Amino acid sequence: MPNRTTRLSSAPWRRALATAGLVLAAGLLAACSSSAKKPQPTPLSPVAALMGTQLAWSAQVGESRASLVPVVAAGKAFVAGNAGTVAAIDVATGKDVWRLNLGTQIAAGVGSDGQTASVITGNNQLVAMADGKEIWRVRLLARSYTAPLVAGGRVFVLSADRTVTAFDGSNGARLWSQTRPAEPLVLSQTGALLALGDTLVAGLSGRVIGLNPLNGAVRWEAAIATSRGTNEVERLVDIVGPVSRIGNSICARAYSAAVGCVDGSRGGTVWTRAAQGVTGVHGDDGLVFGSESDGRFQAWQRATGEPAWSIDRLKYRGLSAPLALGRVVAVGDSAGLVHLISREDGSEMTRLTTDGSPILAAPVLAGDALLVQTRNGGVYAWRPQ
């Protein structure tokens, strides 16, 4: 399993300046928390345009959802749409390497190591593809809202019932599963599943857990948050994706409870801090970035968890999880805008437009390009000038 960091690959941007019980979506829980009228998004000031960007290419994969997260591997962006389209796009040109219609709705994806791509269908089937052809599919025992992880010749799945399962990447044979006690409620939201060297890392309830990818044995675990509420909603502290990994440092958010960092080499909790956000975090070797439920965007010191800065100008704009790349942090909103803000103090650098539909998943880095996918299925890639 490769050990890479976003910070090393983002140099051009620095230079440019339900299954265990009732399944609830993050938005539904937030809406149920208050009977007050929904606050209006904070009006935006004229765009600052302090750095240059250029739209490199765009593509279309059909209507999407938050659990359809683009992934970049081996120079290709793997994207999917609700209706069944999966595409591998050359990140340099924006042209299809291959495109396949699975003929069924897709619930979660995409996972890929650059060769094998994998998604989960709406009827709980795990599907593997290579070179634009389906190579196998198997039925899962529970729903999943997290993209599969394809690594080391295996496909790993994190199910909503808090089970991690490994499948043989060549034929779909089930190899092992690791299950944790299920809570009455689970989130229909992307969780955490990633590789750290030769360790498989998963978010299970409010804990980050390191597993042996060969047999599922637990190597270590560390708590980001602990369930302490008086009802099922308050006790829901699942780790939500994406997470931020730099070397052995893994920083993550527990749903509407806390943000924290753990040491992936031994599993110790480095720090945790109360936070009310419901989307994942990202960061670099100095800072971790994320937004609260009301859209207040903030940065924490990666080493200590101490607040570095926060901004209110994006409140109530329905922010996605962020992406840190070089000197800027990118975050999408519900109006289809991508905000590039300074990592140093949160000041605006520039603003990018898409098709006007919400950006539900975090932006990703595609070579030297910034890539986002909208709810209407638009895929956009910008390069710094």
Side-chain angles (χ1 to χ4, degrees):
M1 294 183 179
N3 186 1
R4 299 173 181 156
T5 69
T6 298
R7 190 170 180 83
L8 292 178
S9 58
S10 58
W13 292 90
R14 294 198 301 274
R15 291 193 296 268
L17 192 2
T19 47
L22 181 61
V23 180
L24 292 181
L28 176 59
L29 288 175
C32 293
S33 65
S34 174
S35 60
K37 184 178 179 180
K38 183 178 179 180
Q40 294 300 303
T42 301
L44 295 173
S45 59
V47 62
L50 297 179
M51 66 177 294
T53 61
Q54 181 179 21
L55 182 65
W57 53 264
S58 63
Q60 174 64 232
V61 291
E63 187 176 349
S64 186
R65 66 184 73 186
S67 56
L68 299 183
V69 182
V71 65
V72 177
K76 298 183 285 289
F78 296 85
V79 295
N82 290 347
T85 296
V86 183
I89 300 174
D90 187 312
V91 300
T93 65
K95 296 181 179 179
D96 283 0
V97 178
W98 56 259
R99 182 172 289 239
L100 176 65
N101 192 326
L102 295 177
T104 185
Q105 286 201 338
I106 300 175
V110 182
S112 182
D113 60 358
Q115 300 298 320
T116 301
S118 184
V119 298
I120 298 169
T121 69
N123 57 359
N124 293 357
Q125 289 185 319
L126 174 67
V127 182
M129 298 149 281
D131 298 322
K133 298 179 181 179
E134 180 180 327
I135 55 177
W136 55 260
R137 68 171 64 192
V138 298
R139 183 167 295 279
L140 301 175
L141 300 179
R143 291 185 182 181
S144 176
Y145 304 99
T146 301
L149 173 68
V150 182
R154 301 188 175 199
V155 180
F156 302 95
V157 173
L158 173 62
S159 303
D161 63 354
R162 300 172 179 86
T163 296
V164 181
T165 307
F167 298 87
D168 188 306
S170 63
N171 56 26
R174 190 184 306 267
L175 301 176
W176 57 260
S177 64
Q178 172 68 242
T179 302
R180 285 301 174 96
E183 301 290 339
L185 296 183
V186 294
L187 284 173
S188 59
Q189 187 169 331
T190 298
L193 191 64
L194 67 151
L196 174 59
D198 64 350
T199 297
L200 174 67
V201 178
L204 298 175
S205 294
R207 308 179 77 82
V208 179
I209 298 179
L211 304 171
N212 183 334
L214 300 180
N215 56 24
V218 177
R219 289 177 169 169
W220 53 260
E221 58 183 271
I224 299 294
T226 302
S227 296
R228 294 180 179 177
T230 58
N231 58 55
E232 287 82 357
V233 173
E234 292 177 346
R235 287 195 291 268
L236 192 59
V237 293
D238 282 322
I239 301 296
V240 297
V243 302
S244 172
R245 180 181 72 82
I246 301 293
N248 289 325
S249 171
I250 302 171
C251 300
R253 181 187 297 279
Y255 178 84
S256 196
V259 169
C261 293
V262 305
D263 184 342
S265 63
R266 56 182 177 83
T269 302
V270 178
W271 59 265
T272 63
R273 182 173 290 272
Q276 296 299 312
V278 298
T279 57
V281 298
H282 203 255
D284 53 31
D285 56 7
L287 298 173
V288 178
F289 309 96
S291 61
E292 295 294 85
S293 299
D294 63 359
R296 181 168 58 90
F297 195 85
Q298 61 189 100
W300 299 269
Q301 298 289 343
R302 191 179 196 98
T304 64
E306 290 297 317
W309 51 259
S310 67
I311 57 173
D312 291 333
R313 69 174 182 275
L314 301 179
K315 289 183 72 173
Y316 310 117
R317 299 201 64 84
L319 300 182
S320 72
L323 170 72
L325 64 168
R327 297 177 63 182
V328 298
V329 183
V331 61
D333 73 11
S334 60
L337 299 174
V338 183
H339 305 269
L340 297 186
I341 61 180
S342 168
R343 75 168 298 279
E344 302 299 332
D345 57 10
S347 57
E348 183 180 65
M349 303 305 295
T350 194
R351 195 181 305 151
L352 311 174
T353 60
T354 61
D355 56 20
S357 66
I359 297 169
L360 303 176
V364 298
L365 188 64
D368 62 349
L370 168 68
L371 184 148
V372 300
Q373 182 173 341
T374 70
R375 188 175 65 187
N376 284 353
V379 183
Y380 298 82
W382 295 269
R383 292 194 176 96
Q385 290 182 318

Coordinates of all heavy atoms in Angstrom, one line a residue, residues 73 101 112:
A73 N -5.9 7.9 -9.6 CA -4.9 6.9 -9.6 C -4.3 6.6 -10.9 O -5.0 6.6 -11.9 CB -5.4 5.6 -9.0
N101 N -21.5 1.5 -18.6 CA -22.8 1.7 -17.9 C -23.1 0.3 -17.3 O -23.3 -0.7 -18.0 CB -23.9 2.1 -18.9 CG -25.1 2.5 -18.1 OD1 -25.5 2.0 -17.1 ND2 -25.8 3.5 -18.7
S112 N -10.2 2.8 -6.6 CA -9.4 2.3 -7.7 C -7.9 2.4 -7.3 O -7.5 3.3 -6.5 CB -9.6 3.0 -9.0 OG -8.8 2.5 -10.0

